[in-house]
Each structure stands twice: as structure tokens, then as C-alpha cells.
């Protein structure tokens, strides 16, 4: 079977993951890194990875015309993914289905290779349950008195939402990467329903029942009305777009954003996000540089604010950097065995390929049961306004921790 | 009721559909009272009767906006008087989040609002309608209709 895999824009993590298909001898695989210059050729299956812009339309049409089936693999291709957060600032990152008809979608950031194999074989995907059903935490859905932004790691039995952290598990499918196992609430990368973001927003608004909402006297109606002023509700969620529409902005049913763009698309993805979210975003979209990019962001902030990091933490971080190097080599040589081995090693430390376990000050969950977790446990940190710079990266955050400006050196993603 | 603000005809013209979800209790009650008293209000107001504003959330609001509404509002019972305990407040929580979401996307936060009314007083409903229309007029003057932006 002829399988052609096309990498479009941005992160190449999903593209790289398809190296694992090479282990299957029945496929005749071709990797195509610059689809614009692809010489048209009939093929059984085309797989699209990376995010898509209107300038890619012609190429996508060509691919469609030559392929029996076209599969969008990973959120970037299925719903715009994390890069589509830039649509808040007017960009036009679009899902594959906006360009061509009859696409097959494999959601996820990272897309799951096992699901991709099912689709290639034209087998029906196993029916996946809601993530909450397979999650060990238990929910009560009591009204919240307050929201929390930074994870504290004591309780591992109560649902994140009940603890005041926003977990998108309610609207997600069970998954392989399982951020929830590494003290990172679900980011919502595998939506189980349409317009998951809007639904989660409604659900969460209700959950915030005990948090005070501002009302005012309405002159005209001579009764009370909802006030426009900022209140505890708005202060609790400084970045609704980034928290609820992280992967689905173009398919959310919301209008295109009209916030002025700050410059390039990648920087627009990060602008407006929260400091505690930065490593989680860079871990998702950094492609084969995601480890170094994420550690760069974390260390830049740590160094400037004197957040102490233990030797053990440094040690694990160095191991990760070495693994990233090794992974890049495996990717270059398209060696599925090596790729598998190294990603497994990365998962052991970073939790998953989204690097959910990485955080400021240390790690979110224990890496090795023989370790003393206290030694490298991440802890809440102070949000300090300022401009942080460290070689390839520079960002400015405001007093509540919202990224106002960011510069990332070319070539990182 | 206070004086109506002047709204230019070209702005009024742009208001074709304003969807107002009114609860079956005080919301709808006050609209009925207004009807009995033959009180006039803007013809773009389209009332959708719901059991409680607590039933209305971001999905219904987006459905209305995506299907041609120029603005959406909820009118529920007065604070503390919800017939279903706290549906009016919960709805306010969600509408507040919608307002913030619109601002984060660069839109006016006046396309969605929430009010309360008293069943025995038709002018509370009509006053709410006037306020909805005035706020929408401000938003349209500043940045056009929601439809223009999409
Ligand atoms: S950002 Fe996520 S969905 Fe997009 S290519 Fe990278 S891993 Fe895949
Ligand atoms: S919302 Fe998150 S933490 Fe809560 S049960 Fe679901 S997956 Fe688990
Ligand atoms: S837990 Fe993580 S990998 Fe799983 S669905 Fe949620 S965001 Fe995706």
C-alpha cells in the first residue's frame, strides 16, 4: 500500500511520529517535507500533518486529486490545533476539512499512531470512552469557591475541576498521552463532542457557582442586571481563549478574532497566554525542538526570579536534552526502532511527548519510584511582571502573568 | 422608565433580530404584563420562552448568533427570586464568561447581556428591552454588527 505523508506548517511532531509506520513492512512509505514541490503521483493514502493556511489550498487539492483517501493526522490538521490560537489575532489557520471534502480525522496533539494505523487499514476505530471514565480522580461537581492557576500536588484523588483547576476531561476522549497522570489537567486535545470548547465553557461557568459575579442596578429596567465591570469571574479566568479553545478555535463556531497581530504567527499563538501555560504550549508545538524550547522558557523565568532548582531536577533536564539530540538523529535517519526507544525514554521523564511533567521549579509527578520526589517536585511560584530574556527567547509578562510580547528565535519550531 | 436615547435610523435598521431568552416565571410574566398594558418595544426583539435562564448557556447563545441574531440577552427573575433556586445567577456566570470571551476575540461585549424583571411590572421587561437595544446600538456604532465581523 502506498502511503505518502506530507508535513505542512509548524510543528513536526506528528510527522515524526509517522516514522513508526515504517516498522510495518506492508506499507510503501514516502515522507514529503516540502509538499509545494511535490511531483504529483497516484497514491492510496495521503496523510496530512502540521497546520494549514489558505496558501496551501492548491497543494492540498493536488493531493486530494491523486489520493484514494486523505487522512488529517493530529489536531493541527484536523481542527487547526494549537497554532490556530493565532486566529485570535486574525490569522487563518484552518482545518483540512475546510479545504477538501471527505477527510478522515485523527485528533490529538500528538496524534495517536495506533489510531492512524487503524485508519490506514480501513478498520473501524475502537470506541473510545470519555476521559473521566478512565481517570482515577473522582468528581463531585460541587460549586467552586475559587479557581487555582498553579498546580499543588497533594491531592491525587479529587477531580482537578473540583480542586479549582480547569480540566477538559469532561469533553475529551480517553487517550494515550494522559496528561492527567502527570498532574497536568487535560488540555482537551481529543474532543469527544462538537464545539467542545463552548460546552466546556458553559459547564465551567456553572461550576464557578460560588464565585461572585458582579451585578448592577439597571436604570431602564429598574431591576438588577449583569454588570460589565471586571469581577471575580473574569479575574479567575484571565485567558478563556487559551484555556477552552486551545486546539479548536477554527471549528469552535466562534467568529475570527480581531485582536491586532503582534507579528508572526508563532508569536501570536503565545501572546495572551499565561506564564504557567507557556511550557505546556511549547511542549505541544515545539516539534523536534520541544524539549529545548520548553526548558529554555522554564529556565529563563527561573533564573530571573531566583527559583531554586535541585541537582536532581537539573540532572533529569539534562537527560531530556540529550534524548532530544538523539531523537533528532533518529528522525533524520528515519529509524523506527531508535525513534521508539528514545521516545519511550523521553516519556519516562517528561510523562508524555507533550512534556506534561515539566514545570517551573521541577517536575509535576514522580519519575522513578526509587527517587525522593520532594527533591525535584515542582512548586507554585510567584508571578512577577517583567521582561525575561535568555538568548533565543524573550518574553514580557504583565502583573497577572499574561504574555504581552514574545520573541522566539527563528528555527525553533 | 427613563427616557429613551436617540438611535439613528441607520443603526436601528441593522437590528433585525434580537433574541431574548425569557424565563417562564418573572421574565415571561413581565412581558405578559407589558403586553396586557399594550406597552410598545422595539420590533426586533424576539422572545424565546425558556423554563429558567439557567437553561441558557454559551451553546444556545452561539446558536442564536450564528443563525442571524444581532444580540442575545437573557431575562430572568430578580436576584434571590429564581424559581429554580439559582438558575438566574448561574446563567449570569456563563454570560459573563461569554462577554469576556468576546472581548478576548476583539469584539464588543454588548452582544450578550443578562437582565432581571418583575412579573407584576411590565415596564421592567420593556426597560430591559430598551437597554438591550441601546447597548447594541453603541456596539453597532463602534464596530458594526456581529454578522459583519464574521
Ligand atoms: S502541534 Fe500537536 S497536533 Fe500539531 S503537529 Fe505538533 S504534536 Fe501534532
Ligand atoms: S475532569 Fe479531568 S480530573 Fe476530573 S475526572 Fe475528568 S479527566 Fe479526571
Ligand atoms: S489528557 Fe492530554 S493527551 Fe489526553 S486528551 Fe487530554 S490533553 Fe489530550
Amino acid at each position: 500500500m502506498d502511503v505518502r505523508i506530507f508535513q505542512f506548517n509548524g510543528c513536526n511532531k506528528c510527522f515524526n511520529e509517522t516514522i513508526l509506520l515504517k516498522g510495518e513492512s506492508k506499507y510503501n512509505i514516502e515522507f514529503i517535507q516540502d509538499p509545494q514541490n511535490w511531483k504529483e503521483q497516484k497514491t492510496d493514502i495521503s496523510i496530512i500533518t502540521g497546520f494549514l493556511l489558505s496558501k496551501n489550498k492548491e497543494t492540498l487539492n493536488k493531493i486530494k486529486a491523486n489520493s484514494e483517501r486523505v487522512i488529517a493526522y493530529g489536531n493541527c490538521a484536523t481542527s487547526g490545533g494549537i497554532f490556530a490560537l493565532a486566529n485570535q489575532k486574525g490569522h487563518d489557520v484552518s482545518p483540512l476539512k475546510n479545504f477538501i471534502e471527505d477527510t478522515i480525522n485523527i485528533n490529538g496533539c500528538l496524534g495517536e499512531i495506533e489510531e492512524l494505523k487503524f485508519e490506514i487499514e480501513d478498520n473501524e476505530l475502537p470506541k473510545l470512552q470519555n476521559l473521566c471514565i478512565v481517570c482515577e480522580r473522582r468528581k463531585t461537581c460541587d460549586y467552586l469557591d475559587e479557581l487555582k492557576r498553579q498546580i499543588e500536588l497533594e491531592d491525587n484523588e479529587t477531580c482537578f475541576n473540583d480542586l479549582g483547576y480547569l480540566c477538559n476531561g469532561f469533553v475529551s476522549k480517553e487517550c494515550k498521552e494522559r496528561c492527567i497522570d502527570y498532574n497536568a489537567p487535560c488540555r482537551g486535545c481529543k474532543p469527544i463532542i462538537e464545539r467542545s470548547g463552548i460546552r466546556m465553557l458553559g459547564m465551567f461557568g456553572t461550576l464557578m457557582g460560588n464565585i461572585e459575579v458582579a451585578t448592577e442596578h439597571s436604570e431602564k429596567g429598574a431591576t438588577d442586571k449583569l454588570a460589565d465591570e471586571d469581577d471575580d469571574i473574569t479575574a479567575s479566568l484571565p485567558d478563556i481563549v487559551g484555556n477552552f479553545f486551545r486546539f479548536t478555535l477554527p471549528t469552535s463556531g466562534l467568529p475570527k478574532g480581531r485582536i491586532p497581530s503582534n507579528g508572526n504567527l508563532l508569536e501570536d499563538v503565545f501572546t495572551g497566554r499565561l506564564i504557567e501555560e507557556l511550557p505546556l504550549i511549547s511542549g505541544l508545538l515545539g516539534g523536534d525542538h520541544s524539549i529545548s524550547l520548553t526548558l529554555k522558557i522554564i529556565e529563563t523565568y527561573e533564573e530571573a526570579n531566583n527559583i531554586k532548582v535541585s541537582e536532581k531536577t537539573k540532572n533529569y533536564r539534562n537527560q531530556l536534552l540529550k534524548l532530544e539530540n538523539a531523537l533528532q538523529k533518529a528522525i533524520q535517519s528515519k529509524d523506527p526502532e531508535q525513534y521508539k526507544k528514545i521516545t519511550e525514554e523521553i516519556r519516562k521523564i517528561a510523562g508524555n511527548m507533550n512534556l506534561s511533567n515539566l514545570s517551573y521549579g521541577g517536575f509535576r509527578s514522580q519519575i522513578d519510584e526509587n527517587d525522593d520526589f520532594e527533591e525535584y517536585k515542582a512548586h507554585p511560584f510567584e508571578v512577577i511582571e517583567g521582561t525575561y530574556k535568555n538568548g533565543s527567547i524573550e518574553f514580557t509578562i504583565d502583573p497577572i502573568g499574561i504574555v504581552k510580547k514574545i520573541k522566539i528565535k527563528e528555527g525553533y519550531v | 422608565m427613563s427616557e429613551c436615547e436617540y438611535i439613528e435610523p441607520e443603526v436601528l435598521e441593522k437590528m433585525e433580530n434580537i433574541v431574548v431568552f425569557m424565563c417562564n416565571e418573572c421574565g415571561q410574566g413581565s412581558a405578559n404584563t407589558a403586553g396586557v398594558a399594550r406597552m410598545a418595544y422595539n420590533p426586533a426583539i424576539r422572545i424565546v420562552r425558556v423554563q429558567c435562564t439557567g437553561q441558557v448557556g454559551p451553546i444556545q447563545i452561539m446558536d442564536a448568533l450564528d443563525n442571524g441574531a444581532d444580540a442575545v440577552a437573557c431575562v430572568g427573575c430578580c436576584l434571590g427570586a429564581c424559581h429554580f433556586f439559582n438558575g438566574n445567577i448561574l446563567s449570569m456566570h456563563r454570560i459573563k464568561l461569554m462577554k469576556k470571551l468576546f472581548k478576548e476575540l476583539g469584539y464588543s461585549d454588548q452582544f450578550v447581556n443578562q437582565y432581571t424583571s418583575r412579573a407584576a411590572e411590565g415596564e421592567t421587561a420593556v426597560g430591559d428591552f430598551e437597554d438591550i437595544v441601546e447597548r447594541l446600538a453603541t456596539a453597532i456604532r463602534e464596530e458594526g454588527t456581529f454578522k459583519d465581523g464574521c
Side-chain angles (χ1 to χ4, degrees):
Chain A
M1 195 183 316
D2 287 332
V3 179
R4 296 211 158 73
I5 303 157
F6 297 86
Q7 164 65 20
F8 279 81
N9 310 292
C11 169
N12 58 6
K13 236 159 62 188
C14 287
F15 183 69
N16 297 338
E17 187 81 355
T18 60
I19 291 174
L20 291 171
L21 296 176
K22 261 187 88 185
E24 314 270 327
S25 51
K26 53 195 162 183
Y27 306 143
N28 171 23
I29 297 179
E30 196 187 331
F31 297 95
I32 297 138
Q33 305 231 31
D34 59 340
Q36 293 85 303
N37 301 322
W38 173 62
K39 287 213 178 51
E40 287 178 61
Q41 234 179 341
K42 290 280 172 215
T43 182
D44 296 315
I45 292 172
S46 289
I47 297 169
I48 310 294
T49 62
F51 74 86
L52 307 167
L53 296 166
S54 44
K55 66 172 189 200
N56 302 123
K57 189 172 173 40
E58 209 177 303
T59 314
L60 289 165
N61 282 337
K62 260 193 236 165
I63 295 175
K64 172 77 182 163
N66 285 288
S67 317
E68 290 287 320
R69 282 188 287 152
V70 183
I71 303 179
Y73 176 55
N75 279 349
C76 283
T78 61
S79 62
I82 189 94
F83 285 94
L85 282 176
N87 290 12
Q88 184 184 21
K89 288 110 188 166
H91 293 272
D92 66 338
V93 176
S94 309
L96 183 61
K97 64 172 183 228
N98 286 14
F99 296 99
I100 58 179
E101 284 175 2
D102 301 328
T103 60
I104 299 161
N105 289 332
I106 308 282
N107 289 121
C109 179
L110 180 70
E112 290 178 24
I113 199 73
E114 293 76 10
E115 288 186 17
L116 182 59
K117 280 185 197 161
F118 268 109
E119 278 302 349
I120 295 176
E121 303 282 331
D122 212 3
N123 290 333
E124 210 176 307
L125 284 182
K127 193 136 181 53
L128 296 174
Q129 313 184 72
N130 173 231
L131 185 65
C132 297
I133 294 174
V134 296
C135 173
E136 265 122 55
R137 294 175 182 262
R138 285 291 149 255
K139 49 185 182 253
T140 60
C141 290
D142 287 338
Y143 292 146
L144 293 168
D145 298 321
E146 58 168 349
L147 297 198
K148 296 201 197 100
R149 279 174 46 183
Q150 289 184 44
I151 212 92
E152 288 167 61
L153 312 159
E154 272 66 45
D155 186 341
N156 50 22
E157 282 166 14
T158 314
C159 168
F160 285 121
N161 283 310
D162 292 329
L163 293 170
Y165 308 109
L166 200 175
C167 182
N168 282 289
F170 290 150
V171 291
S172 302
K173 288 184 206 157
E174 57 183 311
C175 60
K176 171 172 153 191
E177 305 286 335
R178 287 188 66 114
C179 309
I180 48 171
D181 288 352
Y182 307 97
N183 282 315
C186 170
R187 334 300 303 152
C189 84
K190 283 181 76 181
I192 199 163
I193 38 169
E194 300 260 298
R195 296 193 289 173
S196 57
I198 284 280
R199 287 174 207 271
M200 188 62 206
L201 184 67
M203 157 73 206
F204 208 68
T206 308
L207 212 54
M208 289 165 82
N210 283 349
I211 301 175
E212 201 169 316
V213 60
T215 53
E216 66 189 14
H217 182 74
S218 159
E219 284 289 317
K220 298 228 171 270
T223 52
D224 292 316
K225 76 175 288 288
L226 178 63
D228 291 334
E229 71 196 44
D230 288 336
D231 57 11
D232 291 351
I233 296 283
T234 53
S236 303
L237 285 170
D239 177 24
I240 294 179
V241 170
N243 277 324
F244 292 89
F245 302 93
R246 199 178 270 112
F247 301 108
T248 54
L249 203 46
T251 54
S252 63
L254 292 173
K256 193 158 145 182
R258 303 198 285 209
I259 302 287
S261 165
N262 267 346
N264 76 32
L265 191 143
L266 180 65
E267 289 164 11
D268 282 339
V269 171
F270 279 98
T271 315
R273 311 287 84 86
L274 302 170
I275 177 76
E276 66 270 19
E277 288 286 318
L278 289 194
L280 293 164
I281 298 174
S282 58
L284 294 170
L285 59 60
D288 53 7
H289 289 84
S290 60
I291 293 177
S292 42
L293 176 64
T294 304
L295 287 176
K296 195 94 195 162
I297 292 175
I298 291 177
E299 283 165 3
T300 304
Y301 191 74
E302 282 173 348
E303 274 163 34
N305 288 320
N306 273 323
I307 299 176
K308 295 263 177 301
V309 185
S310 70
E311 281 308 309
K312 191 86 191 166
T313 303
K314 285 186 197 150
N315 210 328
Y316 274 131
R317 286 181 181 173
N318 282 335
Q319 284 185 41
L320 279 175
L321 287 171
K322 282 203 195 107
L323 286 166
E324 182 175 73
N325 260 326
L327 187 68
Q328 285 164 356
K329 290 203 186 90
I331 290 168
Q332 230 149 41
S333 56
K334 299 267 185 289
D335 178 343
E337 269 81 50
Q338 274 297 315
Y339 180 88
K340 187 155 191 258
K341 195 171 143 254
I342 299 163
T343 48
E344 271 165 16
E345 295 282 311
I346 293 176
R347 283 190 165 91
K348 266 188 209 144
I349 303 177
N352 50 33
M353 291 305 283
N354 307 339
L355 316 179
S356 292
N357 205 13
L358 270 59
S359 189
Y360 300 94
F363 290 83
R364 290 165 179 261
S365 65
Q366 189 158 7
I367 293 167
D368 184 335
E369 45 184 59
N370 301 319
D371 288 342
D372 176 8
F373 183 32
E374 287 305 319
E375 252 185 89
Y376 58 94
K377 193 173 181 178
H379 39 78
F381 57 91
E382 233 181 302
V383 172
I384 302 170
E385 160 179 34
T387 297
Y388 298 92
K389 192 172 173 182
N390 184 354
S392 43
I393 183 145
E394 180 178 342
F395 56 90
T396 306
I397 60 167
D398 75 358
I400 47 172
I402 296 180
V403 176
K404 288 287 161 199
K405 261 196 297 196
I406 187 162
K407 286 260 161 282
I408 299 170
K409 215 174 92 190
E410 291 268 328
Y412 243 129
V413 180
Chain B
M1 241 186 309
S2 55
E3 281 297 292
C4 287
E5 183 188 295
Y6 173 71
I7 300 175
E8 309 81 318
E10 62 274 21
V11 174
L12 272 176
E13 227 168 64
K14 288 197 172 147
M15 299 180 194
E16 289 169 350
N17 294 293
I18 300 171
V19 173
V20 185
F21 292 103
M22 299 190 93
C23 78
N24 213 3
E25 308 293 339
C26 295
Q28 192 63 56
S30 60
N32 283 346
T33 313
V36 171
R38 296 179 160 269
M39 297 169 80
Y41 58 83
N42 188 308
I45 300 274
R46 316 261 176 233
I47 298 175
V48 178
R49 181 198 288 251
V50 291
Q51 196 62 265
C52 171
T53 53
Q55 285 182 313
V56 183
I59 283 276
Q60 289 76 21
I61 293 169
M62 284 317 300
D63 278 348
L65 289 170
D66 288 342
N67 286 295
D70 299 299
V72 179
C74 279
V75 181
C77 300
C78 287
L79 301 179
C82 174
H83 289 61
F84 298 91
F85 188 52
N86 64 352
N88 52 355
I89 288 283
L90 292 182
S91 169
M92 282 191 183
H93 279 76
R94 299 188 292 249
I95 291 188
K96 189 67 180 226
L97 291 176
M98 289 300 282
K99 278 173 168 287
K100 175 146 198 299
L101 174 60
F102 280 135
K103 278 210 275 198
E104 284 183 17
L105 287 169
Y107 288 76
S108 164
D109 61 352
Q110 294 305 329
F111 297 121
V112 282
N113 277 302
Q114 176 151 1
Y115 297 83
T116 59
S117 69
R118 285 187 285 268
E121 298 168 36
E123 57 271 31
T124 56
V126 174
D128 289 343
F129 296 158
E130 278 171 13
D131 198 62
I132 297 168
V133 169
E134 273 176 26
R135 283 163 183 270
L136 179 57
T138 315
I140 291 177
R141 278 186 212 113
E142 279 166 13
E143 56 180 70
T145 61
F146 188 77
K147 281 176 259 176
D148 296 339
C150 308

